[in-house]
Amino acid sequence: MDHNIKRGVSLYSFQEELFLGQMTVEDCVSFAASIGARGIEILPEQNMRSFPNVTDHEVGAWKDMMARHGCEMTCYDMFLDTKLRSDRLMTDEEQVESIRRDLILCNTLGIRNMRVLVFVRPDILERCVPYAEDLDVHMGVEVHAPWHIEHAWILRTIEVADRLGTRHLGLLPDMGIFMKHYPPVWRARFEREGARPEVAQFIVDQHDAKIMAEYTIYEVAVKMKGTPVEVRMAETLRHSPYSNPKRIRDFIPYFRHIQAKFYEMNTDDTDPSLAYDEVVAELIAGGWSGYLSSEYEGNRWVQDVQPVDSREQVRRQHRMFERLLSQRTGEQN
């Protein structure tokens, strides 16, 4: 079975180098193209100087940049600044108008996928569906840890999409929900901050056994008389779910784009934490088509001890994708 799964990168992956001025946005795009990752996911608030009133000149410059490097913009990451004012939260009408602004810019840039933050209420998105349909932009609610595909909050979005019969509202899974093993890079950071190795090992073992996070936190805080650092390490388990990859196929009709979250790649181009071998197999078997968009978030776990090399980490992930995509295709032919 052939597949139409393509490789891309979120510019979020290079946040360290962008913040430090070590890379420009065009450097990021050029690098992505060099490794065959031709889908570029953007964060306009971070990447576009004239946001939120993006000028025609900047829109044109972005389209020219994509053409120069043989890339295309695949996804627009929106943010909803409900606390924009210090005296009150955004009203529902202001939320709808903010999302409509993003949908219009998304369409202007020629992008057909918009990542919606998971906290945006389903009833607000329902009011935005007519705009999304008119502008032909798919609103994908980010399924982000600690939520998972079958979480009741996520299912509310599916209920709205089904009831409206729309193809412009669905889900955008973040692969962080498939954390099979506790990230070694997390553990190492906590140990550098003073966590006892035996306590760290207990937390890792509890995660591998898929023990409910609250039980582990209690064990560490009370029974093991954990230090604040050790308790913080245990508390990360609340945000480290392992969704069942076998359930992906049932939800594929709601996916248009996937954020390929990762924290660390081994030197042999394998991921020590996230179940990408199982996930990619299910996506291919389910006939999904779209971009796997790298989202490297390991920088914050190593920046205290070594220079961050986001490019090498992303490069390794794409070598893994190439291997998994070719292997699975070969197995099914």
Side-chain angles (χ1 to χ4, degrees):
M1 179 193 295
D2 290 331
H3 63 79
N4 192 29
I5 298 176
K6 295 171 282 190
R7 296 185 292 111
V9 177
S10 168
L11 295 184
Y12 193 63
S13 297
F14 308 107
Q15 58 183 289
E16 187 87 6
E17 289 88 346
L18 286 169
F19 176 76
L20 294 173
Q22 296 168 348
M23 293 177 75
T24 64
V25 166
E26 183 143 13
D27 290 337
C28 299
V29 174
S30 175
F31 170 75
S34 76
I35 61 170
R38 301 195 176 276
I40 305 297
E41 179 176 345
I42 67 169
L43 298 85
E45 288 196 12
Q46 184 183 76
N47 305 141
M48 294 188 159
R49 292 186 181 279
S50 59
F51 184 88
N53 303 306
V54 180
T55 63
D56 291 343
H57 175 76
E58 186 163 16
V59 169
W62 272 81
K63 291 182 177 180
D64 289 346
M65 179 169 58
M66 293 299 124
R68 275 197 301 278
H69 297 285
C71 294
E72 64 174 327
M73 288 179 276
T74 57
C75 187
Y76 175 117
D77 290 4
M78 62 80 82
F79 295 89
L80 187 61
D81 298 320
T82 55
K83 297 180 180 179
L84 189 64
R85 294 173 53 128
S86 61
D87 58 332
R88 63 171 176 82
L89 296 177
M90 271 186 175
T91 65
D92 288 2
E93 289 70 27
E94 288 169 336
Q95 291 184 48
V96 170
E97 186 53 37
S98 177
I99 295 170
R100 181 170 175 263
R101 175 204 68 193
D102 287 317
L103 287 167
I104 291 170
L105 178 54
C106 195
N107 171 278
T108 301
L109 289 164
I111 305 173
R112 292 295 172 260
N113 296 299
M114 187 170 82
R115 185 228 53 190
V116 176
L117 288 172
V118 68
F119 76 82
V120 180
R121 293 180 357 232
D123 60 300
I124 294 291
L125 293 175
E126 181 169 354
R127 292 175 57 177
C128 295
V129 164
Y131 303 126
E133 291 178 337
D134 287 345
L135 294 162
D136 192 21
V137 173
H138 181 267
M139 298 185 296
V141 173
E142 183 181 21
V143 186
H144 191 289
W147 289 268
H148 52 84
I149 295 176
E150 296 178 274
H151 193 285
W153 177 258
I154 300 301
L155 295 178
R156 283 185 60 193
T157 293
I158 289 179
E159 184 275 325
V160 170
D162 288 347
R163 176 162 46 80
L164 298 180
T166 183
R167 294 183 57 80
H168 289 82
L169 174 63
L171 306 178
L172 194 158
D174 178 306
M175 295 291 97
I177 64 176
F178 297 105
M179 187 182 286
K180 195 166 188 175
H181 303 293
Y182 195 84
V185 72
W186 292 14
R187 173 181 180 164
R189 177 71 189 253
F190 284 116
E191 289 190 347
R192 288 196 301 276
E193 293 180 4
R196 290 168 286 174
E198 62 271 22
V199 176
Q201 187 62 50
F202 173 76
I203 293 168
V204 169
D205 291 343
Q206 291 285 97
H207 182 266
D208 277 352
K210 303 300 175 267
I211 304 296
M212 184 176 175
E214 300 309 315
Y215 293 141
T216 304
I217 294 167
Y218 173 79
E219 291 273 343
V220 170
V222 178
K223 293 192 175 180
M224 303 178 83
K225 294 182 169 52
T227 65
V229 169
E230 291 163 350
V231 173
R232 278 197 293 112
M233 181 178 175
E235 286 174 341
T236 61
L237 299 185
R238 290 176 174 151
H239 301 274
S240 307
Y242 177 55
S243 299
N244 181 2
K246 297 289 185 187
R247 299 292 288 133
I248 288 176
R249 284 193 232 180
D250 292 336
F251 294 88
I252 276 179
Y254 301 97
F255 303 163
R256 296 289 182 277
H257 184 80
I258 289 176
Q259 287 182 328
K261 168 76 63 60
F262 72 109
Y263 299 100
E264 170 186 29
M265 290 294 298
N266 294 324
T267 55
D268 65 352
D269 303 333
T270 57
D271 189 315
S273 310
L274 305 174
Y276 273 106
D277 51 347
E278 298 170 59
V279 168
V280 170
E282 290 299 320
L283 290 171
I284 292 175
W288 185 73
S289 63
Y291 276 96
L292 283 172
S293 185
S294 288
E295 190 182 48
Y296 173 56
E297 285 194 15
N299 63 306
R300 64 200 70 170
W301 296 97
V302 299
Q303 60 192 183
D304 66 308
V305 74
Q306 68 190 55
V308 173
D309 191 349
S310 305
R311 277 171 283 205
E312 178 59 22
Q313 288 292 312
V314 171
R315 183 184 289 111
R316 291 178 187 177
Q317 190 190 42
H318 280 267
R319 286 199 294 252
M320 177 185 73
F321 286 154
E322 286 184 287
R323 183 182 73 250
L324 293 177
L325 292 171
S326 62
Q327 281 179 355
R328 296 298 175 178
T329 302
E331 287 173 11
Q332 297 185 38
N333 281 340

